[in-house]
Amino acid sequence: MHEFKAPKGRPYRKYGNRALLITGAVLVQLLAIFGVYYFYRHPSAASRLLHRSLVSNSVRESSTNGTSSLTHTTTHQQLLVRRASILRQVEEYNRQAAAAAAAAAAKDTPGGVATFATIGGGAGGNLQTLEPIVITPSAASGVVRSSSSSSSSSSSSSGGDSSASTSSDQGAGIIRSVGAGDGSGGSGSSGTGSSSSKIQAGAAGSALVNDDRLGTYVPDPGTFMMSVSDAEVKYPVMAALLKAHSNEKQEIMLALANAVMICQNVTKCWWDGGNILESFLTVLSHSNITNHLIGAMDDETARYLEGRPGVNWFKPDVQIPESLANTREANRVSTIKYTLLQQAIQLGYHTLVTDMDLVYVQNPFDHLYRDADIEASSDGYDATAYGALDSIRDATMGWGGGGLFLRTFTINVGCAYVRATQRAFSLVKRVADSLAKSAAWDQQVFNQELLVLSHGDFASPYASTRIMHHLQFVNSKTFFRASRALYIPGKTSSAPLPVLVHFNYHPDKHKRMVCIMDRYFKGILDACDNFTGGSDPGT
């Protein structure tokens, strides 16, 4: 048997080095496994490490490149540089706005209060008499409200310093920025106060608008909301109407009506006759929707509504752009609708915009989630109402011929709940500006602005969206065709009680309105059974 002999000189050196290498490799693997496990159990630590690296890279890049262009970017580092550039532009916008407001206050309203709404990218310093304001979040989704208050402070030789603060109404969720005014000193001189409601960006680049944290989103300066106090001065009639008729959550249902809806002349009302306005008034009364406003678009409609008990109506005072003067009536109505909607949002009221060719079987305000900027019904009648993945197969490409895409039906603005947030206002203003330039279908413009993703020079308003359940907020294709077995026959229906039925898919609108009212209001269960699924006989 061979006897092992250690080499002379340094015994076991060869084998000892190999053992050390193996031991080191095992330790490295154990550390790697531990690191993966640690970051898996503590994802925030990994996120902070990655964010710290990206931010340091973006700072170095921004310092060398200067202001980045607002073009399409592909990397996260470039996006961070773009964000920093936008915030710098907004800070400059704030500085100019503050200077202009301070100058106007000093020139035109000595001793008074200059009030304006801005958006800022940091704490910033004072400009002349302006004080920095930090908006404090409130309990509910609130409204930036800028106001002034008088206060006095004693001083031995000079006027009192102007100051500003914010307060938060926990119930209504309204944020008020309060500026001191006319502080009198001991020697008789006075200081001039000023106030501003300011949307500030924090350390992480997040902004706060209407108690709504926006993250990296910065709206186009052309779509900034004015403060509620300024809006109340600019739109006093609308402010009084909304205050008188909204509910305790500052919510209002807004509808517009013209003489066509009364349908005294069948050649005007293309839906084969029937007074849709009268039926809509019946719906409001039956479903106890008291927080409503109906804008009468002409004198005939105003005379029809005048003196009606329980009906809240008004004559809108809105100037129609010259570009739409000779267009279809529907285009002019759309322009007025989005103008009034802008006013309501800036006044701090969440608005449910509604058509009249529908039946609210239940009060819709009892069935809202209120967790998105836009909560709306859909033209969809299945999963495509919310967005359904679909696939394509191009056999001519061989292996690479497959692909996925999203099928989503458009939002129907005939029932859309719009919250009083900056993002919702940006969307509505962009739609209104587009409609003012040229005649178009407002629903198409609305969906283009809301649903098309940011790309190149196009930036989405980033309004968050919730689609109403298509079996609760039901369109007429769902009721009479796509899910007909759920609703018809009425006596054996297994469908849940709908919140509304909207007759957007059928031309005989009023006849179907009446059948829904008979079925759900009067208990005539088979009232809709004989209506066809489509718009033609036999469909």
Side-chain angles (χ1 to χ4, degrees), residues 398-515:
W399 179 85
L404 295 176
F405 65 95
L406 190 68
R407 290 192 301 134
T408 307
F409 259 95
T410 52
I411 284 173
N412 191 303
V413 294
C415 178
Y417 178 75
V418 183
R419 291 181 61 233
T421 66
Q422 175 61 58
R423 283 175 295 213
F425 179 78
S426 294
L427 168 65
V428 170
K429 189 174 191 311
R430 285 166 61 160
V431 174
D433 291 346
S434 179
L435 293 173
K437 293 176 184 176
S438 60
W441 184 25
D442 69 299
Q443 182 161 299
Q444 180 177 341
V445 177
F446 186 93
N447 278 277
Q448 286 175 336
E449 292 289 350
L450 176 62
L451 300 182
V452 174
L453 302 178
S454 295
H455 61 280
D457 293 332
F458 175 80
S460 166
Y462 297 103
S464 58
T465 308
R466 169 180 281 276
I467 301 301
M468 296 168 171
H469 198 295
H470 77 288
L471 294 180
Q472 288 184 303
F473 294 80
V474 186
N475 62 52
S476 57
K477 184 170 183 177
T478 301
F479 191 97
F480 290 101
R481 178 71 176 269
S483 298
R484 185 182 183 93
L486 289 176
Y487 298 98
I488 297 173
K491 293 182 179 180
T492 59
S493 171
S494 61
L497 181 68
V499 177
L500 72 79
V501 181
H502 188 184
F503 306 95
N504 55 322
Y505 273 99
H506 293 85
D508 51 343
K509 295 175 178 292
H510 190 256
K511 288 182 174 63
R512 296 185 187 242
M513 281 185 74
V514 172
C515 93

Side-chain angles (χ1 to χ4, degrees), residues 38 143 171 299:
Y38 177 81
V143 178
D299 293 338

Side-chain angles (χ1 to χ4, degrees), residues 54-85:
L54 291 174
V55 169
S56 63
N57 290 339
S58 69
V59 170
R60 286 196 299 271
E61 186 173 287
S62 63
S63 64
T64 57
N65 296 342
T67 301
S68 62
S69 62
L70 298 181
T71 57
H72 183 65
T73 55
T74 56
T75 66
H76 188 64
Q77 293 93 328
Q78 288 174 315
L79 287 173
L80 289 172
V81 173
R82 180 187 176 200
R83 184 184 71 184
S85 171

